[in-house]
């Protein structure tokens, strides 16, 4: 609590969400929407699992053709997910 300088609630929340741990958890929570925005509706519908563990994104896809296509684009996918999240959320992607 401060008596000399008033803090606005918005500024306080901005500061809270900029903390690295909190920012990473928020980005992880938005990962399904980010994935859908990058790969599109069809590929997102074919994705049966999207799990993040220790900066490795595990993706399970039903279609073998789509799996092959995503496999060749995994570096670009990683870079785009990290760019959209605003931090280094993913180091590598494993597609099954």
């Amino acid at each position: 609590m401060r008596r000399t300088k008033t803090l606005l609630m918005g500024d306080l929340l901005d500061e809270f969400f900029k903390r690295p741990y909190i920012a990473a958890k928020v980005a992880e929570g938005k990962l399904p929407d980010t994935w859908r925005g990058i790969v599109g509706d069809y590929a997102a519908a074919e994705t049966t699992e999207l799990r993040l563990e220790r900066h490795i994104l595990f993706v399970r896809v039903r279609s073998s053709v789509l799996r092959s296509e995503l496999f060749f684009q995994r570096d670009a996918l990683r870079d785009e997910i990290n760019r959209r999240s605003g931090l280094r959320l993913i180091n590598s992607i494993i597609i099954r």
Side-chain angles (χ1 to χ4, degrees), residues 22-60:
I22 301 298
K25 287 299 181 183
V26 169
E28 185 178 340
K30 292 180 181 180
L31 194 56
D33 294 331
T34 304
W35 179 257
R36 180 175 295 281
I38 294 170
V39 299
D41 291 334
Y42 174 76
E46 290 294 312
T47 302
T48 59
E49 180 183 6
L50 200 62
R51 181 172 40 99
L52 184 64
E53 290 181 9
R54 297 183 182 147
H55 300 284
I56 299 172
L57 180 63
F58 294 92
V59 179
R60 188 173 300 270

Side-chain angles (χ1 to χ4, degrees), residues 2 7 9-20 22:
R2 294 182 181 187
L7 287 176
M9 185 59 95
D11 295 338
L12 186 64
L13 287 173
D14 286 342
E15 183 181 316
F16 175 74
F17 284 115
K18 286 181 183 176
R19 292 180 180 178
I22 301 298

Side-chain angles (χ1 to χ4, degrees), residues 6 8 20 22 28 35-37 45 54-55 63 67 76 87-88 90:
T6 304
L8 298 174
I22 301 298
E28 185 178 340
W35 179 257
R36 180 175 295 281
R54 297 183 182 147
H55 300 284
S63 169
R67 185 181 316 119
L87 51 108
R88 186 145 179 94
I90 297 172

Side-chain angles (χ1 to χ4, degrees), residues 76-89:
L77 290 169
R78 178 199 64 214
D79 294 341
E80 184 62 18
I81 290 170
N82 288 337
R83 186 189 70 76
R84 288 188 185 199
S85 66
L87 51 108
R88 186 145 179 94
L89 185 64

